[in-house]
Amino acid sequence: MTTRTYNLAVVGYGGMGSYHVDHLLKSNPQIHVKGIFDIKQERNDVALSKVLQVYECLDALLSDKSIHIVLIATPNDVHKEIAIKALKAHKHVVCEKPVTIYARDLEEIMTVAEETGQVFMVHQNRRWDEDFLTVKKIYNEKMTGEIFHIESRVHGANGIPGDWRHLKKNGGGMVLDWGVHLLDQLLFMIHSPVTSVYANLSYVLGDEVDDGFQTYLTFANGITALVEVGTTNFISLPRWYLKGTEGTAIIEDWGLNGKIVKQNKDIIASAPKPIKAGQGLTKTMAPPSEEATTMVNLPAASVLSQDFYDNLVSVIEGRTEAIVKNHEVLRVLKLMEIIFESAEKNEVVKTSL
Ligand code: NAD
């Protein structure tokens, strides 16, 4: 069987656009990167130095009939306009996250994708992160019993990066930048509606957009989740903390340092010895007796069936369904809108998302 190849062009050849070209697309033999369009001359110069074709405008790129796939890696506010134009020019489209700033804009894109019959896929690449896939394995295989509480955090100390991420009009801020990843991971893993949301946003750096946030989610199946992004944390809390009916798991970082501590269900353990704690005495907060728990290493992460671009090609060829489905991405955008609403009102928002 001969395999078809597809020419891809990048719109927005900045940090992430070039990461796709230099790393993510390198391992896919079916996709050939042909050229780019960027509004900055310096980025065009970089592209030329890498023997990529540089288009003088978006229309020139879209009217090149040899281009089959367009990758959009511009600031967030222009994703929608470029996506709709590219779909109407009969290109398949990959779009960086957050796909759009508002849910209604993704709905418009989805309508055009349906009308044109072109594939539209959002690069929610953190579904493939090993730390997340380890959590997914612990969750699915009930390695700490039924998980009832999840904490998912990313902490940095470098403030909001770059230029456009500081601005509302470009879709800046940390809910849209990192929140979209952490929320997407949770909704991809927990198959239950979100029933309530409380959130507060942080503005300690004085930007017009949030430099971090915390949100507390409740799912219909009873699971609660705390999702937190910080850019002013000079000491980081662990990436993941999971509480289950039979144990606790912690994943410290992307290097997968962590452990699971399991309760020894079948052993009648002796009562914990009271400890002196501060100016008092406690048995409640004392470590469990030695025979009460066992420490185990984190399991090997589960794997998704294909990587992002292999999946894209299979979807274009009608062989599989998308791993990142547009209706799932839409749900995350709707959840982010509720997060903004809750923070603005300083209230819990009930939902059935
Ligand atoms: P960046 O500023 O480094 O690059 C954006 C590029 O787009 C710049 O070169 C800019 O000149 C160009 N540009 C701006 N407006 C344009 C237009 N109308 N047409 C063509 N080019 C235009 O930003 P970045 O960090 O690469 O982010 C780009 C996108 O990638 C954002 O949506 C961001 O959220 C996403 N991103 C995703 C990940 C991920 O892990 N999935 C990581 C980083 C960024």
Side-chain angles (χ1 to χ4, degrees):
M1 196 180 85
T2 52
T3 51
R4 216 195 124 171
T5 54
Y6 298 87
N7 290 324
L8 178 145
V10 182
V11 180
Y13 185 61
M16 198 57 189
S18 52
Y19 187 74
H20 278 264
V21 176
D22 296 341
H23 299 277
L24 305 177
L25 282 156
K26 276 272 188 275
S27 58
N28 194 303
Q30 280 187 267
I31 303 180
H32 165 70
V33 181
K34 184 167 178 198
I36 68 118
F37 166 61
D38 197 293
I39 54 172
K40 280 192 193 144
Q41 187 51 46
E42 71 212 54
R43 298 309 302 162
N44 293 338
D45 295 342
V46 174
L48 287 171
S49 75
K50 296 193 172 181
V51 207
L52 292 170
Q53 181 170 340
V54 172
Y55 295 90
E56 64 190 13
C57 61
L58 180 62
D59 286 341
L61 183 155
L62 295 180
S63 58
D64 180 344
K65 290 209 165 28
S66 73
I67 296 294
H68 307 103
I69 304 169
V70 170
L71 162 67
I72 303 171
T74 59
N76 305 333
D77 56 313
V78 287
H79 289 176
K80 173 188 164 186
E81 173 197 336
I82 299 167
I84 289 180
K85 268 189 136 180
L87 289 166
K88 286 187 172 167
H90 297 288
K91 312 296 183 194
H92 301 296
V93 175
V94 172
C95 187
E96 261 306 339
K97 52 46 67 175
V99 56
T100 51
I101 301 173
Y102 302 105
R104 63 174 182 271
D105 292 330
L106 174 57
E107 281 169 331
E108 269 186 58
I109 297 175
M110 286 164 70
T111 303
V112 178
E114 206 159 295
E115 283 166 3
T116 57
Q118 301 302 119
V119 172
F120 180 79
M121 261 172 74
V122 182
H123 190 233
Q124 288 297 157
N125 50 325
R126 292 195 177 278
R127 289 189 186 191
W128 281 262
D129 281 7
E130 234 183 321
D131 61 293
F132 166 63
L133 291 173
T134 304
V135 168
K136 196 162 176 286
K137 173 126 180 159
I138 295 170
Y139 176 87
N140 285 342
E141 297 188 6
K142 303 188 196 313
M143 297 179 75
T144 56
E146 294 286 347
I147 285 185
F148 58 87
H149 181 69
I150 299 175
E151 299 188 10
S152 170
R153 291 188 173 82
V154 288
H155 281 167
N158 305 311
I160 301 175
D163 44 14
W164 61 265
R165 279 181 176 78
H166 293 259
L167 302 175
K168 228 178 195 155
K169 71 175 170 62
N170 294 127
M174 285 298 128
V175 172
L176 287 167
D177 197 39
W178 266 97
V180 70
H181 283 303
L182 305 193
L183 297 165
D184 180 69
Q185 290 177 334
L186 282 188
L187 298 198
F188 183 53
M189 180 173 81
I190 302 170
H191 300 146
S192 179
V194 177
T195 54
S196 82
V197 177
Y198 178 70
N200 57 64
L201 310 185
S202 142
Y203 291 92
V204 292
L205 295 173
D207 284 278
E208 62 180 16
V209 295
D210 66 286
D211 51 51
F213 70 94
Q214 286 180 322
T215 187
Y216 196 83
L217 311 175
T218 306
F219 291 82
N221 62 7
I223 294 178
T224 56
L226 175 64
V227 179
E228 183 180 338
V229 174
T231 57
T232 55
N233 300 69
F234 292 89
I235 297 173
S236 301
L237 289 173
R239 173 71 187 85
W240 294 94
Y241 179 70
L242 316 172
K243 291 208 300 181
T245 49
E246 292 165 23
T248 306
I250 194 163
I251 300 182
E252 300 282 352
D253 47 35
W254 284 298
L256 300 180
N257 294 300
K259 63 184 176 191
I260 295 176
V261 175
K262 290 183 77 155
Q263 190 180 25
N264 292 332
K265 275 191 304 183
D266 303 326
I267 289 176
I268 302 168
S270 51
K273 292 195 177 58
I275 54 163
K276 183 176 175 313
Q279 297 303 309
L281 190 69
T282 179
K283 193 156 73 174
T284 319
M285 298 305 161
S289 58
E290 217 173 279
E291 69 278 15
T293 61
T294 304
M295 199 193 90
V296 288
N297 291 332
L298 294 173
S302 55
V303 282
L304 298 182
S305 55
Q306 290 179 301
D307 84 7
F308 182 84
Y309 278 111
D310 288 344
N311 184 237
L312 174 74
V313 169
S314 317
V315 174
I316 289 172
E317 294 178 354
R319 290 187 275 116
T320 38
E321 54 174 23
I323 292 174
V324 180
K325 297 178 182 59
N326 292 325
H327 69 86
E328 296 166 345
V329 179
L330 184 63
R331 192 172 161 227
V332 176
L333 290 189
K334 288 181 177 172
L335 178 55
M336 291 196 296
E337 289 182 0
I338 298 174
I339 285 173
F340 285 118
E341 182 192 339
S342 166
E344 173 141 3
K345 293 181 176 160
N346 190 21
E347 276 175 12
V348 173
V349 176
K350 301 272 185 207
T351 178
S352 55
L353 193 65

